[in-house]
Amino acid sequence: MGRRMTVELEVLDPRHDPEPVYWRELLATSRRRAVWEYDQLGIAAWTARSPLLLSVLHDGSAPVGAVCATLLGPRRHHGSFAPPTGGPRVGVLQVALPGTNAERGWWFADDLAPRDRRALLRTYAGLMRRRLGRTWRGLVWRQAGAADLPSLPGRVRLVHAVHPLARLPITWPSLEGWLGSLRPGRTGDLRRQLRQITADATVIPAMGPARELVTALEVALLRRENELKYDATPLPVPYIEGLIRRDGTLAVTYRDLTGRLLGVGLVLDHPGWPLYLTWGALPVRRGGRRHLYFDGMTRVIGWAIGAGKAGVVLGKGKPELKSDLGAELLPTYAIAAAG
């Protein structure tokens, strides 16, 4: 921009404040995924243990960016929720998006220059510090990329590398092209596993709109298997239900002949980069099947290729395995700023 920005900050509590009239159009033009839908953030806020604040940055009358943050106070006991109003007496503002660690908690209009983005973040931090007053104890930016490091505000900072983000750019016209691009051992394993799943008459695979294939409770129960295994943060059933009912949420599912769900993955569609949000499966010792994870990954990648997507965001966790599947690993950081 060749002019000075006039920045105003609109701070919203999605539990109580009505959805801004411009919000849906802003999401559409900025190509945001379903996790940024206002009512979805409202569900996240009602099921959170700490207050959630959605801040919209305006340049004059035009909304040009958004920041989603949680005000973290002293540790609350298990099963507690944020109070309906107010917040902790002292707290750290953590900028992070509920529901996924594969996307950072802030974004801007695409036509903003880097210097304007830096100015907006500095203004946001300053305005929130004044707004919170004595409550303020600092700011933490989660899931920051390497390109974000120079633009994040704060005089005293601690930078901690966290799990990288896996993204698979699509450069092949067909699924066979992707399989052929992998190392021979991985290609052979995937082909063999695909044949086994296809030949297993006791497994019924499907992929399509999530609301037609699975319920939120089913997803939550299978996710719990992975959560117990990897000590992951559970997604509340109402939050999953909110995602499933949306047009842009897809599911890849596996059921046995009785209808029991054996495995499920959820995908948030996007014009360019859909997000493979979550996976859960029944353990083999309890009647589950082997190789469903890889079969599901292959089906999602095949769908993305057929749909002409630029790539698939495969999320975090299992970085070596996802790299072996052709994904690029993007470094991400948590940055704590004292001022």
Side-chain angles (χ1 to χ4, degrees), residues 269-338:
D269 200 1
H270 182 269
W273 289 86
L275 169 62
Y276 196 4
L277 179 69
T278 185
W279 167 261
L282 196 66
V284 174
R285 69 179 183 277
R286 289 175 45 199
R289 304 294 192 275
R290 299 185 185 278
H291 312 314
L292 296 185
Y293 175 84
F294 290 100
D295 188 89
M297 186 78 73
T298 301
R299 289 177 187 272
V300 170
I301 293 171
W303 162 79
I305 293 173
K309 303 296 184 181
V312 182
V313 179
L314 300 179
K316 297 192 171 187
K318 302 183 179 180
E320 294 82 6
L321 185 151
K322 292 174 182 176
S323 178
D324 205 34
L325 295 175
E328 57 185 17
L329 301 180
L330 305 180
T332 56
Y333 305 90
I335 302 173

Side-chain angles (χ1 to χ4, degrees), residues 80-102:
S80 64
F81 296 94
T85 59
R89 293 184 178 180
V90 294
V92 173
L93 199 61
Q94 177 175 264
V95 179
L97 181 64
T100 177
N101 61 5

Side-chain angles (χ1 to χ4, degrees), residues 70-74 88-93 132 134-139:
T70 302
L71 185 59
L72 301 179
R89 293 184 178 180
V90 294
V92 173
L93 199 61
L132 294 174
R134 294 181 180 180
T135 300
W136 175 275
R137 290 297 182 273
L139 191 63

Side-chain angles (χ1 to χ4, degrees), residues 3 10 20 47 52 59-60 82 94 97 117 128 154 168 170 202 233 265 277 279 284 290 297 301:
R3 59 177 179 81
E10 181 182 12
T47 56
L52 184 148
D59 178 17
Q94 177 175 264
L97 181 64
R117 298 181 183 215
M128 290 303 293
L168 180 71
I170 291 176
T202 67
T233 302
L277 179 69
W279 167 261
V284 174
R290 299 185 185 278
M297 186 78 73
I301 293 171

Side-chain angles (χ1 to χ4, degrees), residues 153-229:
R155 294 187 299 273
V156 180
R157 302 200 302 178
L158 296 175
V159 180
H160 175 67
V162 294
H163 285 299
L165 177 67
R167 301 198 323 167
L168 180 71
I170 291 176
T171 58
W172 320 274
S174 67
L175 183 63
E176 283 299 316
W178 170 66
L179 289 170
S181 71
L182 307 178
R183 64 177 178 84
R186 175 59 69 186
T187 300
D189 287 344
L190 288 176
R191 292 189 191 279
R192 181 172 59 257
Q193 292 159 5
L194 291 174
R195 288 195 300 268
Q196 291 175 356
I197 296 298
T198 302
D200 189 344
T202 67
V203 177
I204 304 172
M207 184 171 181
R211 62 174 175 264
E212 299 177 6
L213 296 176
V214 73
T215 68
L217 181 58
E218 287 180 313
V219 174
L221 290 174
L222 284 197
R223 267 186 53 89
R224 180 170 171 76
E225 301 292 342
N226 276 16
E227 289 157 5
L228 292 174
K229 185 177 180 180

Side-chain angles (χ1 to χ4, degrees), residues 62-131:
V64 292
V67 183
C68 182
T70 302
L71 185 59
L72 301 179
R75 184 180 295 273
R76 299 172 63 83
H77 63 82
H78 181 71
S80 64
F81 296 94
T85 59
R89 293 184 178 180
V90 294
V92 173
L93 199 61
Q94 177 175 264
V95 179
L97 181 64
T100 177
N101 61 5
E103 186 169 340
R104 67 187 189 185
W106 71 98
W107 49 269
F108 305 101
D110 290 338
D111 59 348
L112 285 184
R115 67 178 181 276
D116 293 322
R117 298 181 183 215
R118 289 193 295 270
L120 282 172
L121 292 181
R122 287 196 300 268
T123 301
Y124 167 79
L127 291 175
M128 290 303 293
R129 182 176 186 173
R130 288 196 291 273
R131 179 186 179 92

